[in-house]
Amino acid sequence: GYGRTGIIYYEDPIADKETQVVSRLRMNIDASTETDAGVEFGARFRLQWDQGEEDTHANPGKLWISAQGLTVEIGNVDTAMDSSSLIYATELGAFDRSVGFSAMVGDYYAYAAKSYGGEPDRVGVAVAYSFGDLNLRASVVNYDQTIDGTDKEIGLLAEYTWEDRLELSAAYTKNAEGYDGEDLFFVGARYAVMDNARVGLNYVDADDQSYGKTVALYGDYTLADGLTNIEAYVANNDPSTGVTNVTDTAFGIGVNYDLGGARLGASVQRDYDKLVTADMGVRFNF
Amino acid sequence: GYGRTGIIYYEDPIADKETQVVSRLRMNIDASTETDAGVEFGARFRLQWDQGEEDTHANPGKLWISAQGLTVEIGNVDTAMDSSSLIYATELGAFDRSVGFSAMVGDYYAYAAKSYGGEPDRVGVAVAYSFGDLNLRASVVNYDQTIDGTDKEIGLLAEYTWEDRLELSAAYTKNAEGYDGEDLFFVGARYAVMDNARVGLNYVDADDQSYGKTVALYGDYTLADGLTNIEAYVANNDPSTGVTNVTDTAFGIGVNYDLGGARLGASVQRDYDKLVTADMGVRFNF
Amino acid sequence: GYGRTGIIYYEDPIADKETQVVSRLRMNIDASTETDAGVEFGARFRLQWDQGEEDTHANPGKLWISAQGLTVEIGNVDTAMDSSSLIYATELGAFDRSVGFSAMVGDYYAYAAKSYGGEPDRVGVAVAYSFGDLNLRASVVNYDQTIDGTDKEIGLLAEYTWEDRLELSAAYTKNAEGYDGEDLFFVGARYAVMDNARVGLNYVDADDQSYGKTVALYGDYTLADGLTNIEAYVANNDPSTGVTNVTDTAFGIGVNYDLGGARLGASVQRDYDKLVTADMGVRFNF
């Protein structure tokens, strides 16, 4: 798990307080066992507290079976789109936020960090296959398995890494969150132009959910100290019919400083309402 | 704890869905300490998630003190009847279900796996004594210790094992779940006719709770591979006055295959309504 | 964490039951990591069950950063007054209760053991500094950081230990629990007159919260067996205007017997209503 704390500022002319302390404490509880034949069985659930909550939550469980690169998950599964290694690659700072891209990728099922939120009979099944540099994942989430004819969310993910320099990721979600006809499409690519510099291009079509289509160019650069990483993105949103942006361009720049086991991070970003948000914090893994 | 997942089918002419994915994730959190004089103090609580729930639950705690075979438990205790080593011996498959016998043993307090369910002031005390092949347990559960004159559930259990071949278990519960006059009585015996085959006979009287009286003949047989265990039972229910069974005979057959650390299991059973239920799944301990 | 169980008696002419079983099960979940430069990052949350609750609670998280004697805490912090090493020094027995002093120290924020209780947006920051025998702590708790102009609770604590014999502790709380003008003041001293005997004097002014001003003289003595500790206090309360005590003097005596890893304890006390309370129990750490 990890701990994270710091402050986040949102420009907001009508808000009472634009800057708040924001913390998170997450602990994954993992257990697994391996059979004599080398098949691995495991389970995970998570205890997480976020600023703004009165107590720590324990989420629904995930069970998995894994053998020879093939993993089957049941329950609170990792969905295909949420597992893309690039869909969140534009995120900045210690809080890993991206108002220009991550905020526009649409609404789909992910590993529920806390609760199924009014969907106790939700059930998910995911299959992941890893073969060399190729990663595939398919997921199906049914928001209520006790009734017939529900529109299940179906997700597909394909990823490929070429010589550790080029990363490709494509994901498709059908009937996102169980809404018939709400389909999402993502494709991304990132290339290490130097050992300490990468550039990437992401595209997402969330037009069915009125987020429009968004493309982002992003990159990061590690300074010669090997500890300071500068990251930035610029994103362009083509709004859905009936939606108007104040601006079609959002951008942000961030920095992370590696403390060895922890990192200090900060970012400043501008969203499609031309409002600025900034954050500064620390994150540590354990 | 353990993880368990698979599918369960219930024959049900009016249900929307007869087959569902059913999973459980259970983790026991144990802590104990031993004094210089060899007295052991310990505590347990449990985190458990079951399919159909939005999040993982943490149950009320049990505290225990143990020395020289004598154990005293306070709080969320293991009750006498629930601790019988034979009362659940007819259960089949990876889900350990028995619609013919376990479903007819009546309602009594057990170690609360999740919550006291509307009885915050419940308190239990149990005493267990183990001497060689003899095991004794007595439990008292008061559903509300803040008020006077409650009908406490009192349970007694006696078990004896003879030369590792014959197991005997008898349990008696008075005022089950705190209802005056609702008494339950169980007796069971199981004999290992061969090293890889056992037969057993269970009897329960839950007539006070309208479950009638039920007798079950059961057995299990391990194949020569040493991994495949076949198990079966046939049960006969003598219904309580005013209750009518479609049939007085229920039965089931199951199989478990040992994966070494995990097991695959399946069963098919027919209940007293002549309805069929079947399951197939995997269970692994950690 | 620790486990604790036993019985508590309250003299109460109108109560249905004067004696009840009281148990607690507490488990702290700690995680930390140290950076290359020796800065330590950590987090804690707690799982706790108390008799009278249906299930175990998980409290909001605390995050902390520590280096060279300086610790900064964020979130569910340990407040200054609650961290005094002497404010609870009059407490007796296995349940650590003191009706004469601890019950009169007033209401202030502490590390929330279970939930923020209707204050999800509470946020605390504490700074602690330890230098040799000197300990300092300052804490600020805002009951709702999303609104402007809240009265924050501010706490200060200074402690000094002289040659391991004399302990001094002073704490001040302003706007206790966020109520403007409710200030609390505590000062205490304890001296080891012999290696196995200590005497102390505590004073608290909680007049702003109608608890009046209370002074307590207390001490403890360890018998020659090195295991049995006798403890006692006598306290005098000067009630706030409009409050009448049946008596201005409360007192209590207790005993703890060290089992090595666990302790047996008992106490009997009389409060300012001239009502007697007594307890007997066992507590063990793990």
Side-chain angles (χ1 to χ4, degrees), chain B residues 29 31 33 35-36 41-45 58-61 63 74 115-116 118-122 145-148, chain C residues 3-5 16-17 20-21 23-25 27 47 49 51-56 259-262 282 284-286:
Chain B
I29 316 262
T33 186
T35 69
D36 304 338
F41 291 85
R44 160 175 289 191
F45 67 87
N59 74 350
L63 296 104
I74 295 169
S115 151
Y116 275 160
E119 297 182 346
D121 291 307
R122 188 195 299 181
Q145 68 160 340
T146 65
I147 55 174
D148 227 10
Chain C
R4 186 170 73 182
T5 187
D16 212 17
K17 292 276 288 290
Q20 294 189 8
V21 173
S23 304
R24 168 178 288 176
L25 176 46
M27 218 165 279
L47 293 158
W49 172 75
Q51 178 61 39
E53 295 173 344
E54 295 191 347
D55 47 23
T56 293
L259 295 168
V282 63
F284 52 98
N285 298 316
F286 45 74

Side-chain angles (χ1 to χ4, degrees), chain B residues 40 43 97 153 230 242:
Chain B
E40 213 178 344
R97 299 189 309 130
E153 180 189 286
I230 311 284

Side-chain angles (χ1 to χ4, degrees), chain B residues 185-207:
Chain B
F185 177 73
F186 165 78
V187 62
R190 183 163 60 177
Y191 186 71
V193 291
M194 290 184 290
D195 278 355
N196 62 338
R198 297 179 295 183
V199 290
L201 196 66
N202 274 10
Y203 171 80
V204 68
D205 177 347
D207 205 30

Side-chain angles (χ1 to χ4, degrees), chain B residues 17-268:
Chain B
K17 291 279 286 290
E18 293 183 309
T19 302
Q20 294 189 8
V21 173
V22 177
S23 304
R24 168 179 288 177
L25 177 46
R26 170 183 290 184
M27 217 165 279
N28 293 320
I29 316 262
D30 289 301
S32 66
T33 186
E34 194 172 341
T35 69
D36 304 338
V39 181
E40 213 178 344
F41 291 85
R44 160 175 289 191
F45 67 87
R46 179 179 286 175
L47 293 159
Q48 183 167 320
W49 171 75
D50 279 283
Q51 178 61 39
E53 295 172 345
E54 296 191 346
D55 47 22
T56 292
H57 293 257
N59 74 350
K62 172 174 72 172
L63 296 104
W64 53 266
I65 303 165
S66 183
Q68 298 182 331
L70 184 75
T71 301
V72 177
E73 301 178 358
I74 295 169
N76 185 7
V77 302
D78 288 299
T79 59
M81 188 160 274
D82 192 54
S83 301
S84 166
S85 61
L86 291 182
I87 198 168
Y88 305 120
T90 65
E91 296 179 344
L92 307 175
F95 288 97
D96 293 318
R97 299 189 309 130
S98 161
V99 297
F101 193 81
S102 292
M104 311 307 284
V105 295
D107 304 315
Y108 44 85
Y109 281 126
Y111 178 72
K114 285 168 192 172
S115 151
Y116 275 160
E119 297 182 346
D121 291 307
R122 188 195 299 181
V123 67
V125 177
V127 179
Y129 183 68
S130 176
F131 180 78
D133 296 323
L134 181 70
N135 280 293
L136 302 172
R137 179 177 285 263
S139 61
V140 179
V141 179
N142 186 345
Y143 60 83
D144 188 345
Q145 68 160 340
T146 65
I147 55 174
D148 227 10
T150 51
D151 289 306
K152 292 153 193 77
E153 180 189 286
I154 296 167
L156 298 172
L157 170 71
E159 300 202 311
Y160 185 75
T161 307
W162 180 76
E163 290 196 350
D164 288 338
R165 289 201 93 80
L166 177 67
E167 302 163 79
L168 300 172
S169 179
Y172 170 68
T173 300
K174 188 177 158 63
N175 301 335
E177 291 193 332
Y179 292 100
D180 183 33
E182 297 196 358
D183 298 349
L184 305 170
F185 177 73
F186 165 78
V187 62
R190 183 163 60 177
Y191 186 71
V193 291
M194 290 184 290
D195 278 355
N196 62 338
R198 297 179 295 183
V199 290
L201 196 66
N202 274 10
Y203 171 80
V204 68
D205 177 347
D207 205 30
D208 290 345
Q209 292 183 340
S210 302
Y211 289 99
K213 295 163 187 170
T214 308
V215 61
L217 177 70
Y218 58 98
D220 71 288
Y221 181 79
T222 303
L223 300 194
D225 63 2
L227 301 173
T228 310
N229 185 260
I230 311 284
E231 51 193 3
Y233 73 84
V234 54
N236 188 277
N237 177 254
D238 176 15
S240 297
T241 313
V243 177
T244 314
N245 285 338
V246 177
T247 169
D248 285 346
T249 305
F251 54 83
I253 185 162
V255 60
N256 280 294
Y257 183 77
D258 186 356
L259 296 167
R263 72 175 210 248
L264 291 173
S267 84
V268 55

